[in-house]
Every structure is written in structure tokens, then in C-alpha cells.
């Protein structure tokens, strides 16, 4: 039952070329930067990355794109505060993009975790994003059918975790992380502190250990926005 891994590098060592990787976070909040950078060091190719945005500056997901790891982005906001890495790669034809409305993105991920292969939403009806998708009418209103969104691996960031993989989150860092933990074949969580079994009140557990395969302690995680303000690049 002990799911602890010694280092971020060891945690991501088995992620292969061509994997579909969900990465938690809403901007820098809840983004597992140490796991992302460890994945850059390992350098698998042709990844499909699912995230709320397509990275900022030259760290995190943006650094993955600059290092040529990402073949496709599935996200809601490909242009954020400093999207130079994605913009250059997209204009050069080096990366594919699938834009998904934010609520639809969250629900596609949640549906996968709940075992729901498809659902209907009014969002995107009548727009280019609905092109080619089945549409049905319910009670006089049109709805677009959307498929679930699953991944081979989810990289997430939590606050506290125990050796069995039970997780808590800190404030806004919760965002996409819990639903992504449920929607991947393998979930790897970086946590600020690993506590002893039983130290987390069951009422405070957000992601039960059944959804988590590996936990790695990162006591002082870096924050993406601070790295960007400092002009940091990775590697």
C-alpha cells in the first residue's frame, strides 16, 4: 500500500513516447512544476497534453513545448499571459491544437472518471467547435454530444498526502487536480508533505488513494508565476 516515490524523476520515469498526459493546475495554481520539469529531463516525445492552458513563459508546460515534447495540446486557453512558446510552435506547424470550452473540458475529464463515455451540452452549439459532432434536440433546445477525455497519466499537485495516496488540496490549488486524478490510468501526485497514515481526517480527503498510484514529496514547490517574473527558463 505504500505508494511513495523518492524523487520526481523516479515518479515520471515510465512515461513513454506518445503518452496522453493530463497536467493539473489553473495557470500556476496547483501546477505540478517539479513533475513537469522532471518529465522534461526524461524527454519523451509526441505527447498529447491536456491542461487548462498551453503554458506561459519558458517554464512548466511552455518549456515542454519548447523542448519538443508536445505533439498536441488539448486546452481552453492556448493564449494566456505569456504564450510565446505555444504561439511560435503553432505558427510553425510543430504542434496540434484542440480548443475545448473550459466547462466542457472539466466535464469531459469528470465524465471519464465517472465512467460516462459521452454527454450532451449546449455549449459550442452553432460554432466551429461543434463541427462534425452529433447534435440532438431536447425540450426544444439543441445540444452537442461530447466524448469523455481520458489519459494514460495524470500529473497533479496536492497539499498533503499519505503513503496510501489519500490527498488534500490547498485553496485554489484544488481546481482540475481531483477530476484528473480520476480520469487517468496512472496518477502521480506531488505533495508538499507526506504524513503518516491516519493523520488526515477522512472528512478532509478530496482524492481517495484508490485514484492515486504514486506520491512524491516536494517540500517547497516553486510557483510558475514567480519563475516567470524572475525570467526563469527550463532547462
Amino acid at each position: 500500500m505504500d505508494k511513495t516515490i523518492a524523487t520526481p524523476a523516479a515518479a515520471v520515469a515510465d512515461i513513454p513516447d506518445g503518452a496522453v498526459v493530463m497536467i493539473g493546475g489553473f495557470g500556476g495554481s496547483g501546477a505540478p512544476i517539479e513533475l513537469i520539469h522532471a518529465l522534461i529531463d526524461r524527454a519523451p516525445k509526441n505527447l498529447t497534453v491536456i491542461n487548462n492552458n498551453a503554458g506561459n513563459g519558458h517554464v512548466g508546460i511552455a518549456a515542454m513545448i519548447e523542448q519538443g515534447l508536445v505533439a498536441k495540446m488539448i486546452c481552453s486557453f492556448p493564449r494566456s499571459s505569456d504564450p510565446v512558446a505555444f504561439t511560435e510552435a503553432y505558427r510553425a506547424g510543430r504542434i496540434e491544437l484542440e480548443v475545448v470550452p473550459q466547462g466542457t473540458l472539466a466535464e469531459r475529464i469528470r465524465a471519464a472518471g465517472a465512467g460516462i463515455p459521452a454527454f450532451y451540452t449546449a455549449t459550442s452549439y452553432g460554432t466551429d467547435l461543434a463541427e462534425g459532432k452529433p447534435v440532438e434536440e431536447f425540450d426544444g433546445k439543441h445540444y452537442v454530444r461530447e466524448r469523455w477525455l481520458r489519459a494514460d497519466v495524470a500529473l497533479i499537485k496536492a497539499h498533503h498526502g499519505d503513503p496510501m495516496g489519500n490527498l488534500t488540496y490547498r485553496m485554489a490549488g484544488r481546481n482540475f487536480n481531483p477530476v484528473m486524478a480520476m480520469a487517468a490510468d496512472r496518477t502521480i501526485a506531488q505533495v508538499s508533505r507526506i504524513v503518516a497514515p491516519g493523520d488526515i481526517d477522512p472528512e478532509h480527503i478530496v482524492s481517495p488513494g484508490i485514484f492515486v498510484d504514486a506520491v512524491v514529496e516536494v517540500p517547497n514547490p516553486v510557483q510558475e508565476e514567480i519563475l516567470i517574473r524572475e525570467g526563469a527558463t527550463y532547462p
Side-chain angles (χ1 to χ4, degrees), residues 1-158:
M1 292 294 291
D2 189 346
K3 301 175 182 179
T4 57
I5 304 293
T7 64
V12 303
D14 295 331
I15 297 177
D17 291 353
V20 178
V21 183
M22 286 180 178
I23 300 178
F26 189 94
S29 179
I33 297 298
E34 284 77 9
L35 287 177
I36 297 172
H37 288 174
L39 188 60
I40 291 172
D41 293 341
R42 189 182 177 284
K45 303 297 184 182
N46 298 316
L47 301 178
T48 295
V49 172
I50 302 167
N51 185 261
N52 186 58
N53 61 55
N56 288 291
H58 305 279
V59 297
I61 291 173
M64 290 180 65
I65 294 171
E66 288 184 317
Q67 295 301 309
L69 276 61
V70 184
K72 180 179 180 179
M73 280 296 316
I74 301 175
C75 66
S76 294
F77 295 93
R79 293 182 62 83
S80 300
S81 62
D82 184 14
V84 61
F86 172 80
T87 300
E88 290 182 354
Y90 186 74
R91 287 176 174 171
R94 297 194 302 270
I95 191 168
E96 183 181 350
L97 172 65
E98 179 180 344
V99 175
V100 184
Q102 191 173 76
T104 303
L105 179 67
E107 183 63 9
R108 288 179 67 186
I109 297 168
R110 190 204 67 82
I116 300 169
F119 61 92
Y120 287 92
T121 175
T123 303
S124 83
Y125 173 71
T127 73
D128 290 345
L129 294 183
E131 186 175 346
K133 296 178 181 178
V135 174
E136 291 198 37
E137 183 177 339
F138 298 94
D139 300 325
K141 189 173 181 178
H142 291 92
Y143 294 81
V144 179
R145 192 176 79 192
E146 296 281 358
R147 290 295 311 274
W148 62 7
L149 197 55
R150 293 195 56 83
D152 299 306
V153 182
L155 305 180
I156 66 172
K157 180 181 180 180

